[in-house]
Amino acid sequence: MKRQEMGIFTKFAQPFSKWWAQFRAEVIVVPMEDPLEPIMSVNDDTLTIRTGFHSRRNTIGLPLLFASIFSTYLWLGIIPNVDRQKELAIENIEYFQNEKKQREEWLLEAKKDNNAEEEKYYLGRVEDYNQLIKSYMVYVEKDGEPTIFTYLESKYLQGYLVWTLFGFLMLGVCGSSAACFFGLFFIKPRDAEVYFDRRRGIVYTWRWGRIGAARFEDIGIKENMMGLSIFLQFENKKKGGFWPSAVWGIDAERLIFHKEEDLTYLLAQLLAFMEKGKDAVITGESFQREPARFFLFDDKKPKNFDQRLEMVLGASHNLVELYEKNVIKPLAM
């Protein structure tokens, strides 16, 4: 069944209930001991699924963290010790003055011999040494201690300013990436799972203290290469109290490059559980999967949860209209 008319370029979410009849007719859900990921738990009342961050954190985020730290280490060499640069500049001035003097002597000999080729060569070398001496004199002629700007001026006179600035840019990019991945890996909590509550006929979750929920028949879905996005009504102070958000990138069987058929069975499982109960999905009394490891803490359940949940559900009467006509942003990492 084709659910996304424009594939990965589908702009708006659509109600999951739109395809319920097709799922019932075309997909057979087989109860299993392990109902497959991303399903994390199943009991009489609730089924939960994890977010896409749980799996991608260790398989993608960790290698990128190590790579960005290593790249930052490599680019650290671009940062100059300006005091040492001044000492080297004084040494280089003396060295290049001697080299220049030698080339000037050879230039005179070339002129005496009417050797135009050598004369042109040595004249070029003398000009090069003049420019180098000028670039190093910046350290000597400046009042006070040298700064990073002294270093940049010297590089400019040498003709290396662009490459020097490129090095600083790469250091900034690598350092920022390392800080970002470090934050995602060590500071960001484990996302709350998405709860499908069969007894009450609702779906809910929370993120960073904000509760999101909807009646099962109202939830929206959108599928793309990153996986499944589920659209719920969330608390939002900037949008008059409530506004939809997407729990995005829920993966099934693969981390990226999903096709609709990769997500069909998961959606059929969710529908089967909500309509028929746990026996439609699992063979045991209950199921519990070990959560993703190496998180330092979990996203805590918000205070006054039940009361706030009812308020979100009460504000979700226009959820379908909102996500069908508006581009809804996913929840922030």
Side-chain angles (χ1 to χ4, degrees):
M1 70 186 75
K2 186 172 180 57
R3 298 183 292 275
Q4 308 290 117
E5 294 180 1
M6 298 179 63
I8 63 173
F9 300 104
T10 299
K11 190 175 182 180
F12 303 113
Q14 300 175 76
F16 179 29
S17 58
K18 180 178 178 179
W19 297 283
W20 284 2
Q22 286 180 275
F23 276 110
R24 297 185 190 108
E26 299 178 18
V27 184
I28 299 174
V29 177
V30 180
M32 294 181 283
E33 183 179 351
D34 182 336
L36 306 177
E37 292 201 44
I39 294 176
M40 299 299 292
S41 68
V42 184
N43 58 36
D44 290 327
D45 294 329
T46 59
L47 177 151
T48 67
I49 59 175
R50 57 162 173 74
T51 69
F53 181 69
H54 287 199
S55 54
R56 294 184 178 99
R57 175 181 179 267
N58 294 340
T59 55
I60 298 177
L62 185 59
L64 289 176
L65 171 64
F66 288 145
S68 58
I69 290 175
F70 181 68
S71 298
T72 302
Y73 171 76
L74 293 179
W75 283 104
L76 278 175
I78 196 68
I79 301 177
N81 181 334
V82 291
D83 292 326
R84 178 57 181 158
Q85 289 293 323
K86 183 175 181 178
E87 295 174 3
L88 291 173
I90 295 172
E91 296 174 5
N92 285 332
I93 289 170
E94 181 179 358
Y95 171 76
F96 286 118
Q97 283 177 338
N98 293 331
E99 291 293 307
K100 175 190 170 187
K101 184 178 180 181
Q102 180 66 63
R103 299 309 186 277
E104 287 174 336
E105 292 176 359
W106 292 342
L107 175 60
L108 290 174
E109 292 179 7
K111 287 181 177 180
K112 289 178 182 179
D113 296 338
N114 291 321
N115 190 329
E117 185 176 346
E118 288 192 359
E119 181 181 344
K120 180 180 179 181
Y121 173 78
Y122 289 124
L123 182 61
R125 300 292 74 73
V126 170
E127 291 176 351
D128 289 342
Y129 288 132
N130 276 331
Q131 188 66 22
L132 284 171
I133 293 169
K134 183 180 178 181
S135 71
Y136 291 122
M137 286 298 293
V138 170
Y139 290 95
V140 179
E141 294 173 347
K142 292 288 185 181
D143 295 331
E145 296 297 321
T147 65
I148 187 64
F149 297 106
T150 309
Y151 174 78
L152 292 176
E153 184 179 351
S154 177
K155 288 296 181 183
Y156 170 74
L157 293 171
Q158 293 173 20
Y160 297 133
L161 179 61
V162 172
W163 286 107
T164 303
L165 293 177
F166 175 76
F168 284 128
L169 175 63
M170 290 303 300
L171 176 62
V173 170
C174 294
S176 300
S177 299
C180 178
F181 287 122
F182 182 87
L184 285 175
F185 198 83
F186 292 104
I187 300 175
K188 187 184 184 304
R190 182 189 288 111
D191 288 343
E193 294 168 0
V194 182
Y195 290 75
F196 289 78
D197 188 322
R198 180 173 182 268
R199 181 173 56 84
R200 292 187 288 178
I202 62 174
V203 181
Y204 63 88
T205 188
W206 60 88
R207 181 75 58 84
W208 298 110
R210 295 192 298 127
I211 298 172
R215 293 171 181 81
F216 181 58
E217 62 270 20
D218 292 336
I219 67 171
I221 63 170
K222 188 165 72 171
E223 301 160 83
N224 57 31
M225 63 184 296
M226 295 302 295
L228 173 68
S229 294
I230 296 177
F231 291 74
L232 306 173
Q233 188 79 306
F234 270 82
E235 295 173 318
N236 190 318
K237 294 180 180 179
K238 296 181 180 179
K239 292 282 189 176
F242 304 94
W243 189 258
S245 287
V247 182
W248 72 283
I250 300 170
D251 58 287
E253 298 185 5
R254 63 182 76 190
L255 296 176
I256 198 171
F257 301 123
H258 287 81
K259 299 178 182 178
E260 285 190 353
E261 51 264 33
D262 299 321
L263 301 166
T264 295
Y265 192 73
L266 168 63
L267 291 169
Q269 285 178 302
L270 299 178
L271 177 61
F273 172 79
M274 294 297 282
E275 290 188 334
K276 302 175 183 178
K278 68 177 183 180
D279 292 336
V281 180
I282 60 172
T283 56
E285 286 298 314
S286 64
F287 173 79
Q288 182 67 53
R289 192 185 307 280
E290 287 293 323
R293 297 184 297 170
F294 309 123
F295 283 89
L296 299 183
F297 50 96
D298 294 333
D299 195 338
K300 293 183 179 180
K301 192 173 185 178
K303 296 179 180 179
N304 303 319
F305 183 82
D306 291 334
Q307 179 183 357
R308 290 166 60 185
L309 176 61
E310 290 302 320
M311 293 177 65
V312 176
L313 290 171
S316 66
H317 59 278
N318 62 341
L319 173 63
V320 176
E321 180 182 358
L322 290 175
Y323 65 62
E324 282 188 323
K325 296 181 180 180
N326 296 274
V327 177
I328 304 300
K329 295 181 179 180
L331 291 169
M333 276 288 186

